[in-house]
Structures are given as structure tokens and as C-alpha cells.
Amino acid sequence: MGMLEQNGHWLTLSSRFDVGRNPTCALHIPDRRISGRHAQLVWTSGGWKVRDLGSTNGTTVNGQRLAAGRDYVLRQGATLAFGDAMHRWVLGHASPPRALAIGGSGRRRLAEGGLLALPDDDDPAAVIVEHEPGSWLAEIDGVPRQVMDQECLVVRGQSWRLSLPRTWKQTWESEQVNPLGLRFEVSRDEEYIRLSLLSRKQEMAARSHHYMLLLLARARLADRDAGLPPGAAGWLYTEQLCQMLQKDVHQVNVAVHRARRQFSELDVVGSNRVIERRRLTRQLRIGIEQLVVEPLQ
């Protein structure tokens, strides 16, 4: 993720990052030589760019003053100065931004593995996931709806402002080269499940949420065998899954989040789509077509 550094102090860059004297700016510099909205850094398909917003005392990159209103490409290690040399920062990391939520108290939550859980990972009342390039969904109590960059979202009485970076189409499509496949090997009493990634032939560490994944996999395979098209196969209502697991809705939502997190921690491409939810409904399914369920040998 993009980061600015000044004397060992690091700032995480959101996809639109304002610099200025105005307290609402991401980098607030309370100095009269700094304009209210002095400059802006943005993430684009070409990487990080900076623009001076018509400031009085200017913005420089590597000592060169920028013309106001024009975008300049930044490379890792570039030095930016706002107003004068006192307010100098270095682009320490030039990687793409991650989804970010800033609470009313100033608390910041950064996405991990493409998943942004609010208020935290242990109690995910809302989870922000990228649905398709440039389109983000907020799953609130298990029901997804579209959210936009800079939108304010209220979760359990607390307001969060969302900073949602854009994923460019060519990057998204490159992730689809090796589709994810799963093998479930299940003991006769179903007390033990061995779950493996087909593409890597890698066994995953045992987790309690694997039984939920098994139930969802069986539902998708049964619908496929019944002749349903891929887009219609495997959908269950959350309440159905609750009955099958003998858990309440919140416990199921926590299990969904933990399942996605386990895949993301293994750097599995598309881990946020391991479990899919239908918009504005309480339906969900395993988002993987290549599934094998067989007895444990």
C-alpha cells in the first residue's frame, strides 16, 4: 500500500489523499504557509500521481515546483514538499492503496486480504468486499448492498467514512488465470474434514468453519447435478444454513468472515469471493465451481 514517510513517521495513503491546512485533510498541516486544500495524491492505473490544487506557496517533487492543476506521476522514493522545505515527505511505498475506514473518533481500520471488517475482525457486524472492478459491497448483518468511495456507513451506532480504491479491470482479469478449486475429504462420522487447494495440492489447517464450507459445497454440487446453470447453483438462505449448523445468524456471519480470512492469509487469489452473497437478500453460497467431495481414506 502507498505510504508517505517523514523522519520515521509513516502515513497510509488512501486512494484520494488531500494535503492542506483544512482539518478535514488526510495530511493536516496547521501552518499559515499551507493552503486550505494544498495538494492531492491519487491512485490511478498508472500508479500514484500528485496535483497542486492552486496553493499559494506551491508543491515540489524532487525539488521541482509543480504547475497548479496538472498531474505528475510519482515513483517510489520521490520527495514531496508542501509550502516549504519544512513540510517534506518521501513516498516510501508506491504499492496500490487498500480499502480504509475512518471512524468518527479518528480510529482507522485498514483492509486485510481484501476484507475490511467493522468494527473489527472479532465482531464483523459489517464487512466491505470488492464485488467486481470498482464496485464495492457492504455486507451488513449478512445482507450486501453497494457502497461508494467516501460514503459514510453507520455500524452499531458509529459512523465510518470509507475510502475505497479502484481495482483496474486488467488487474482483476489477471487474477482469473488459475481458478480456485477445493477438495473435501470427509470422515464417515463427519467429525473430521481435510480441506485442500486443488491447484496447489496444499492441505489447509483444520478449522471449525470447514464444515460450513462443506455444506455449501454439497448444496452447489447437488444443484449442478440437478441441471441448474452455474449462476443459479448452490444458493441457500442464511436461515437455512443456521438450521443446518445449529448456529444463529451472527455466528454464521463470523464463520463466513473467518473462512475468507483463512484463504486470504494463504494469499489465495479471489479469497473475498470464496463465499458469495446475493445483493439485498439473505442468500449465500460457496463461490467456487471446481469442487470435489469424497470419503476420507
Side-chain angles (χ1 to χ4, degrees):
M1 57 186 171
M3 298 188 75
L4 291 178
E5 184 269 337
Q6 182 188 68
N7 300 325
H9 176 59
W10 292 84
L11 286 178
T12 301
L13 294 175
S14 53
S15 53
R16 293 185 184 88
F17 187 89
D18 285 349
V19 179
R21 196 173 71 249
N22 191 318
T24 62
C25 290
L27 174 51
H28 173 221
I29 305 176
D31 186 321
R32 295 183 63 183
R33 289 166 292 187
I34 301 296
S35 298
R37 288 184 70 245
H38 192 102
Q40 185 181 70
L41 283 76
V42 296
W43 172 259
T44 72
S45 59
W48 288 102
K49 295 182 180 181
V50 63
R51 174 188 296 182
D52 183 88
L53 300 177
S55 67
T56 301
N57 293 309
T59 301
T60 65
V61 175
N62 296 330
Q64 299 297 312
R65 182 157 177 163
L66 307 183
R70 289 183 56 190
D71 290 338
Y72 291 82
V73 176
L74 295 173
R75 306 299 180 198
Q76 186 160 307
T79 299
L80 298 93
F82 307 106
D84 64 21
M86 282 184 60
H87 306 296
R88 181 184 292 125
W89 293 78
V90 174
L91 183 63
H93 294 289
S95 50
R98 287 156 41 186
L100 172 72
I102 302 175
S105 61
R107 181 185 175 196
R108 297 164 71 88
R109 289 282 299 152
L110 194 63
E112 296 289 345
L115 302 169
L116 176 56
L118 301 173
D120 54 49
D121 285 310
D122 293 329
D123 185 21
V127 180
I128 316 301
V129 296
E130 192 167 20
H131 170 64
E132 56 189 24
S135 176
W136 292 82
L137 297 179
E139 299 176 354
I140 303 174
D141 293 326
V143 179
R145 70 168 180 85
Q146 189 167 10
V147 287
M148 308 298 291
D149 183 35
Q150 301 305 307
E151 181 174 338
C152 284
L153 192 68
V154 177
V155 179
R156 294 192 176 159
Q158 182 177 5
S159 179
W160 297 85
R161 180 169 57 83
L162 304 178
S163 177
L164 304 176
R166 181 177 178 183
T167 298
W168 300 92
K169 190 171 186 290
Q170 61 268 31
T171 303
W172 183 280
E173 289 176 342
S174 70
E175 294 182 348
Q176 311 305 314
V177 176
N178 295 310
L180 179 62
L182 296 178
R183 170 180 280 111
F184 295 83
E185 298 172 84
V186 187
S187 64
R188 184 175 298 180
D189 59 6
E190 301 196 344
E191 289 294 319
Y192 182 75
I193 300 167
R194 179 185 295 158
L195 181 59
S196 305
L197 303 174
L198 287 174
S199 59
R200 300 184 189 175
K201 298 181 180 178
Q202 176 184 359
E203 183 177 341
M204 299 180 66
R207 296 290 186 270
S208 60
H209 56 253
H210 289 181
Y211 184 63
M212 176 188 70
L213 294 177
L214 173 65
L215 295 179
L216 292 171
R218 284 173 170 165
R220 183 153 188 165
L221 290 171
D223 283 351
R224 185 183 69 186
D225 292 344
L228 271 66
W235 294 102
L236 295 176
Y237 282 96
T238 303
E239 289 74 14
Q240 291 176 269
L241 190 57
C242 287
Q243 291 178 1
M244 297 163 75
L245 292 169
Q246 297 184 340
K247 295 181 181 293
D248 62 30
V249 171
H250 180 67
Q251 289 172 319
V252 167
N253 291 335
V254 170
V256 168
H257 182 62
R258 288 177 178 171
R260 289 169 168 168
R261 281 294 305 273
Q262 185 182 21
F263 282 86
S264 72
E265 288 165 2
L266 292 172
D267 294 324
V268 173
V269 170
S271 57
N272 59 337
R273 301 186 291 279
V274 166
I275 295 179
E276 299 175 333
R277 295 187 189 266
R278 271 185 170 161
R279 291 196 199 188
L280 305 178
T281 77
R282 298 180 71 85
Q283 290 178 293
L284 73 169
R285 70 171 180 176
I286 194 164
I288 301 165
E289 290 189 48
Q290 191 178 359
L291 299 165
V292 176
V293 177
E294 56 190 17
L296 181 67
Q297 302 298 323

